Amino acid sequence: MSEDAPVNTSAVLWPDPDSAMRMVRSMQTKLHRWAAGDPGRRFGDLFNLVDDPAFLVHAWERVSTNKGARTAGIDRATAAQVEAWIGVEAFLEHVRDALKSGEFRPVEVRQVMIPKGTSGKFRKLGIPTIADRVVQASLKLVLEPIFEADFKPCSYGFRPNRRAHDAIAEIHYFTANPRNYQWVLECDIRACFDEISHTALMDRLRVRVKDKRICALVKAFLKSGVFTELGNKEETLTGTPQGGILSPLLANIALSALDDHFDRQWQQQMKTGGQRAKRRRHGQGNWRLVRYCDDFVLVVSGERRHAEALREEVAAVLAPLGLRLAPEKTAVVHIDEGFTFLGFDIRRMRKRGTTKYCVYTKPSKKAIQSVKDKVKTKTYRSTRHMDPDELILSLNRSLAGWANYFRHGVSKATFSAVDSFAWERLMRWIRAKYAGKTELSMKELRRRFCDQGWRFAHNGVVFIGASSVAVTRYRFRGSTIPTPWTPKPAAANS
């Protein structure tokens, strides 16, 4: 097939969701194979996939089943309202006609400010309309398998089949024995999503995409503007709004410049043990980048000065993208001091009862405080109208969800401490709720609201908390993580 030949699917108009998913997956597999097989290929006819019925139906499924489907853009329409008022097929027909005729224009995103934890700071979130979300989702379905062929193994954020735990596992792999990369450059990009240069981003997009309609559509989303909470319209001269389905992919496309730079160094100068040993003999350092979207670190084998020198190198790579490091949050630390990354505290310490030192990953103090604050909110006086079983169920869900993320760390003692805190809050809540003329005694509390022992239970619902989640080790998967479009080994050998 020639580079400029059309890439079409054999979709029947408005297939059912399952058929649409199969058609999309088949086409994505081809796109990924073509991109991986020819790193210099530029795709010239992709727009017909964005408005393809199968891609639009699958995009709708992703948008309408997402928890954000209940949130409206500036048109105040939700996915449920679209289904009830217009009907899905009529809605998708309208979107498709607008795309095919060239009349589709993204509208401003609705900007909301959401709190950043308990810091008192706020993050800008841009909420597109349902129509814009569907088109963004379809665009992502087309572009992602192409760019996944180029993305490096050191990048983990917002990529299929990859998780934050993979990034943590790689850091642990390099900082632990026998590799012992002891210095860490923690990097923080100032307002990454707000400041990415549109020109630099589009230049990187055009490396793989020469379809002018695709490029124009991506640029239209970047330039769509925002409606603030005060009702003012603002232009978007830089950045890609957080909240858009396409934004994480676009951020990864831009930040892959960082991955490419350090991967090239690794492949050319540090890939083999002999190369790394030679550099050490000559007083040079070795380093490895680990990135999760705009959060990243460089783990360094050598001296502090090697890690410090990388700060300027990172800044030089980011500058053409319109990005800057935040000096107050960018620092060099020793692994014995420890640092926080993606909610985990990572630090080398002496193993209890031995002289051996190990690298430990534990839930950070901030993460622990965050879940405690959530427990406080749920057990505040304003929730005393609830039945105890309702509250216990709600606490179980929150604590288990939190613990599931941290179960791959050294977390058992932390889970027990969080459960003790939650138990005490729940005890006070129950005593306050059922306080009569005399305070509910602990003996009466145990008789009425606990099963055997001191576990709270009501109407068959038992408080199990974070400790119900088993702590397990997470294995470093290296560069072997398959994409959804990677052929299985059996298929490759057949």
Side-chain angles (χ1 to χ4, degrees):
M1 178 174 170
S2 72
E3 192 169 296
D4 297 314
V7 280
N8 292 302
T9 61
S10 55
V12 179
L13 197 58
W14 309 128
D16 64 84
D18 289 339
S19 299
M21 182 181 70
R22 288 193 296 270
M23 293 173 188
V24 168
R25 179 54 58 91
S26 174
M27 191 66 238
Q28 286 183 315
T29 302
K30 291 178 184 177
L31 290 170
H32 184 72
R33 187 175 71 243
W34 295 335
D38 183 0
R41 177 171 182 167
R42 296 181 69 218
F43 289 79
D45 191 3
L46 296 174
F47 194 83
N48 65 319
L49 292 178
V50 176
D51 62 33
D52 182 272
F55 276 76
L56 288 175
V57 167
H58 193 47
W60 168 263
E61 284 298 304
R62 290 198 169 187
V63 169
S64 61
T65 56
N66 186 281
K67 62 181 181 180
R70 293 172 290 183
T71 309
I74 63 170
D75 61 355
R76 299 296 174 184
T78 64
Q81 289 170 338
V82 168
E83 289 178 351
W85 297 348
I86 309 171
V88 175
E89 287 193 8
F91 171 75
L92 293 180
E93 186 72 55
H94 174 74
V95 171
R96 184 168 187 250
D97 288 345
L99 285 168
K100 289 181 75 68
S101 66
E103 295 174 359
F104 179 83
R105 296 288 183 276
V107 297
E108 297 86 357
V109 297
R110 182 168 68 88
Q111 188 181 86
V112 295
M113 306 296 283
I114 57 172
K116 294 174 69 173
T118 56
S119 63
K121 297 180 180 178
F122 289 84
R123 176 184 288 114
K124 295 177 183 177
L125 197 67
I127 303 171
T129 62
I130 294 293
D132 286 356
R133 272 178 259 181
V134 168
V135 176
Q136 284 194 32
S138 188
L139 254 176
K140 185 184 177 189
L141 291 171
V142 174
L143 295 176
E144 189 171 52
I146 295 171
F147 284 94
E148 274 294 322
D150 298 334
F151 289 159
K152 304 302 181 188
C154 62
S155 162
Y156 296 99
F158 302 105
R159 294 183 58 191
N161 292 354
R162 288 169 169 260
R163 314 169 63 200
H165 301 95
D166 290 308
I168 299 295
E170 179 163 6
I171 292 171
H172 189 277
Y173 175 82
F174 277 98
T175 53
N177 278 324
R179 284 151 291 276
N180 291 321
Y181 282 48
Q182 297 183 6
W183 294 99
V184 179
L185 174 63
E186 297 180 86
C187 297
D188 185 273
I189 300 176
R190 177 173 289 162
C192 176
F193 279 82
D194 295 332
E195 295 190 1
I196 290 175
S197 163
H198 290 173
T199 301
L201 174 54
M202 293 304 300
D203 285 346
R204 293 192 68 80
L205 183 79
R206 291 189 185 101
V207 169
R208 277 300 203 171
V209 179
K210 67 178 180 181
D211 187 325
K212 291 182 179 179
R213 292 177 297 173
I214 289 283
C215 293
L217 188 56
V218 171
K219 192 170 184 178
F221 278 116
L222 292 173
K223 300 291 186 185
S224 62
V226 298
F227 257 160
T228 68
E229 289 181 314
L230 298 176
N232 300 321
K233 180 181 175 181
E234 294 180 356
E235 290 183 82
T236 44
L237 302 176
T238 60
T240 176
Q242 283 184 274
I245 292 171
L246 198 58
S247 292
L249 175 61
L250 295 180
N252 270 334
I253 291 171
L255 291 171
S256 63
L258 201 63
D259 309 338
D260 294 346
H261 176 84
F262 287 104
D263 183 74
R264 189 161 51 247
Q265 285 185 345
W266 178 266
Q267 296 296 331
Q268 293 174 358
Q269 303 170 33
M270 312 171 199
K271 186 176 182 180
T272 67
Q275 286 176 314
R276 295 192 291 274
K278 183 178 179 181
R279 287 177 62 85
R280 284 194 295 271
R281 287 196 301 270
H282 288 82
Q284 297 173 301
N286 298 299
W287 46 82
R288 185 81 172 181
L289 172 73
V290 181
R291 184 174 70 82
Y292 189 92
C293 201
D294 59 333
D295 291 326
F296 64 95
V297 297
L298 280 145
V299 290
V300 181
S301 171
E303 300 175 15
R304 185 185 184 98
R305 61 186 175 86
H306 297 130
E308 290 284 3
L310 288 173
R311 191 196 307 249
E312 295 303 316
E313 194 170 329
V314 169
V317 177
L318 292 177
L321 303 173
L323 300 174
R324 300 165 294 161
L325 290 173
E328 67 279 6
K329 295 182 181 178
T330 301
V332 172
V333 296
H334 194 275
I335 191 64
D336 291 348
E337 299 172 61
F339 65 101
T340 302
F341 188 65
L342 301 178
F344 283 91
D345 281 342
I346 305 172
R347 186 181 177 189
R348 188 174 66 175
M349 295 183 288
R350 185 172 59 82
K351 190 175 182 180
R352 187 180 299 172
T354 72
T355 57
K356 182 181 177 183
Y357 279 77
C358 298
V359 175
Y360 292 94
T361 57
K362 300 180 178 181
S364 69
K365 290 180 180 178
K366 186 177 178 181
I368 296 168
Q369 190 57 52
S370 174
V371 77
K372 285 184 175 180
D373 289 343
K374 189 174 286 187
V375 169
K376 279 184 184 178
T377 301
K378 287 180 181 289
T379 54
Y380 201 62
R381 67 182 68 180
S382 59
T383 65
R384 287 180 196 158
H385 64 280
M386 297 171 69
D387 289 333
D389 53 307
E390 285 183 84
L391 179 60
I392 292 170
L393 188 61
S394 177
L395 285 172
N396 281 343
R397 285 173 177 164
S398 292
L399 292 173
W402 180 84
N404 262 308
Y405 179 79
F406 290 104
R407 67 193 173 102
H408 298 303
V410 184
S411 306
K412 190 172 181 180
T414 302
F415 289 177
S416 295
V418 167
D419 283 351
S420 294
F421 175 83
W423 188 94
E424 188 171 331
R425 293 287 306 187
L426 186 55
M427 177 267 291
R428 291 179 180 177
W429 183 91
I430 291 173
R431 293 181 79 180
K433 178 178 175 69
Y434 292 98
K437 292 182 179 178
T438 57
E439 189 177 85
L440 187 67
S441 69
M442 293 298 285
K443 184 177 180 180
E444 183 69 8
L445 176 84
R446 183 176 183 179
R447 186 185 69 80
R448 290 175 59 184
F449 296 103
C450 296
D451 62 1
Q452 289 137 15
W454 278 98
R455 289 200 314 174
F456 284 114
H458 192 257
N459 289 342
V461 180
V462 180
F463 175 72
I464 52 176
S467 298
S468 64
V469 177
V471 174
T472 60
R473 184 174 179 182
Y474 193 87
R475 297 289 178 178
F476 174 47
R477 297 190 285 168
S479 58
T480 62
I481 304 173
T483 73
W485 317 285
T486 303
K488 294 179 181 178
N493 295 331
S494 61

